[in-house]
Amino acid sequence: MPKKNLKALFISCCCLLITACAPAPEKIWQRSADGNRSYVADIANDASFSVTSSDGQELIMWHRDEARPRYRMQQEQSEINQLIAVDISADGQVIAAASKENFALWDTNTGELQGYWRIQQEPNNEPGQRTQITSIVVSKKGDVLAMGLNTGKVIIFNPRSGRRLEMLAHTDYITSLAISPNGKYLLSGSYDGTALLWNTDTAAFLQRVEEAQPIMQVALDANGRWFFTADRSDEASIWSVMTGEQQAKLQFNDRKRIFSSARFSHDGNFLLTGTPSRMIEIWDTESGDRIRRIEVSVPPGQRPTSATVLAVAIDPNQQTLWSENSSGIAELWQLRDVMPNPANSQTTPETP
């Protein structure tokens, strides 16, 4: 083997050993949803509260410093069942939740329903085919709702004005969405292997990523610098919003890596990801190097012992990390000795 390859292999092995040997972060608390599994979950941007659904119908809002649920939110209409997606706005004011054909908006301060809608069926559907929601995201104050459909369409909806805009560039169902806090930019990933960064005012796309495999996860940096895409194989990259060029490729040796959740840190310098195999990972956005790996817990005696990381978030001071997983367990981790001081980090305005 050439010396250059041996050197690269040695460096790679050293990095793996350093990551593997790093001590596990201190766990501050752990909460179990009374033995119930979680189907969907999201965590507020400031890691102050989360929302989960254990029965596929009721949304439960948990505050970081409270042992009991703050609100239990359930739409009275029987059509709201089997929730498949939930998203908390960047300002923490509203929650958007969707079942396959319905979606709703909730006020986080009161736990009250703000609105309830049903999607329209496509007139050109095949016999027996129904248009269904696959993902949902919401901007600050609930001004902009975006939904991905199994037809490949992306719907932009303003709950206050009723304005509805259809984006027609994907050819297969939408797997993942991410929206900027102000709702002006939307990132969509599709089973057709493409990810598109959109302007929600004009429905024009600004950047495009194409992979050989379906895109399964996307994330958008709130500061407007980066976006993340990951396919169902081994392509997971951080891209420049401004140029569309690859900033970094996540460094891992797996032949196949699926991500179940992804979110940038507040300063955009780190990427947080979760997997269906109980793993949370923290990555450096400039290099793609993995900084830390954390295994989430499952209830004692659970068989199988697997769990999907549904959501992960870090507080603005980068001192704690909150995770929600499909076994119904939430955990808060101490990151004081893991993450650098955000005061030394620099961000750019939220403008792609």
Side-chain angles (χ1 to χ4, degrees):
M1 181 183 294
K3 290 184 178 180
K4 184 177 181 181
N5 291 344
L6 281 172
K7 181 179 180 181
L9 179 61
F10 174 76
I11 293 173
S12 176
C13 289
C14 286
C15 291
L16 286 173
L17 286 171
I18 291 171
T19 302
C21 295
E26 175 188 352
K27 189 186 297 186
I28 300 173
W29 56 250
Q30 176 176 314
R31 185 202 70 233
S32 177
D34 300 324
N36 296 317
R37 297 183 66 85
S38 294
Y39 290 95
V40 295
D42 194 24
I43 302 169
N45 196 42
D46 63 357
S48 63
F49 70 92
S50 72
V51 61
T52 65
S53 179
S54 297
D55 60 4
Q57 297 180 341
E58 182 183 51
L59 283 173
I60 304 174
M61 181 175 164
W62 304 86
H63 193 274
R64 175 185 175 121
D65 300 322
E66 299 171 4
R68 306 295 298 174
R70 174 166 292 191
Y71 297 120
R72 291 181 178 272
M73 299 169 283
Q74 188 167 16
Q75 169 61 21
E76 293 181 357
Q77 282 91 336
S78 60
E79 292 89 349
I80 289 285
N81 53 42
Q82 291 305 309
L83 293 169
I84 53 91
V86 63
D87 187 57
I88 301 171
S89 62
D91 59 1
Q93 296 299 305
V94 295
I95 298 168
S99 59
K100 290 182 178 180
E101 297 184 11
N102 309 280
F103 59 101
L105 202 60
W106 304 84
D107 188 315
T108 61
N109 295 306
T110 64
E112 295 180 356
L113 181 70
Q114 289 191 338
Y116 162 80
W117 302 267
R118 176 186 289 272
I119 62 169
Q120 300 174 1
Q121 290 299 311
E122 303 283 346
N124 56 347
N125 280 349
E126 297 291 334
Q129 179 188 14
R130 294 193 65 81
T131 303
Q132 295 181 340
I133 301 170
T134 57
S135 54
I136 190 168
V137 289
V138 62
S139 70
K140 286 181 177 180
K141 301 178 182 179
D143 290 336
V144 179
L145 275 167
M147 289 162 289
L149 305 181
N150 61 341
T151 60
K153 283 186 179 180
V154 176
I155 306 296
I156 301 297
F157 176 66
N158 185 313
R160 292 174 176 79
S161 67
R163 179 176 181 263
R164 183 176 183 271
L165 184 64
E166 292 187 356
M167 298 176 171
L168 310 170
H170 292 293
T171 59
D172 210 334
Y173 73 85
I174 305 302
T175 55
S176 182
L177 292 175
I179 196 167
S180 64
N182 61 14
K184 292 185 180 295
Y185 306 98
L186 180 75
L187 180 63
S188 59
S190 170
Y191 206 77
D192 65 8
T194 64
L196 298 173
L197 180 64
W198 304 82
N199 180 312
T200 60
D201 289 330
T202 63
F205 56 85
L206 310 173
Q207 303 296 350
R208 179 186 182 96
V209 172
E210 294 188 27
E211 301 289 5
Q213 295 290 326
I215 300 290
M216 304 305 292
Q217 194 65 230
V218 299
L220 185 58
D221 168 31
N223 298 299
R225 290 190 299 170
W226 319 117
F227 66 95
F228 169 72
T229 65
D231 69 9
R232 69 174 183 182
S233 182
D234 62 351
E235 292 295 330
S237 298
I238 296 166
W239 310 84
S240 167
V241 166
M242 294 297 294
T243 67
E245 295 180 354
Q246 186 184 63
Q247 165 66 24
K249 181 176 179 179
L250 300 195
Q251 301 300 308
F252 53 82
N253 292 333
D254 304 10
R255 295 182 61 184
K256 184 176 182 179
R257 175 72 68 91
I258 301 294
F259 293 100
S260 54
S261 61
R263 175 179 289 185
F264 285 94
S265 62
H266 292 265
D267 57 17
N269 292 335
F270 305 96
L271 177 72
L272 316 172
T273 61
T275 74
S277 55
R278 296 175 57 183
M279 286 298 169
I280 297 170
E281 291 166 304
I282 304 173
W283 310 84
D284 183 276
T285 54
E286 286 200 8
S287 65
D289 292 335
R290 186 172 63 200
I291 297 172
R292 181 54 61 98
R293 190 176 188 182
I294 305 169
E295 184 177 49
V296 301
S297 303
V298 296
Q302 174 182 296
R303 295 292 182 272
T305 58
S306 60
T308 297
V309 178
L310 299 174
V312 59
I314 196 168
D315 73 88
N317 294 321
Q318 297 183 167
Q319 298 298 296
T320 57
L321 181 147
W322 186 340
S323 67
E324 294 276 355
N325 74 61
S326 62
S327 74
I329 287 183
E331 294 168 288
L332 187 69
W333 310 85
Q334 178 63 257
L335 296 182
R336 182 171 49 237
D337 300 325
V338 179
M339 308 293 286
N341 190 327
N344 298 326
S345 303
Q346 297 183 358
T347 59
T348 56
E350 184 196 304
T351 52

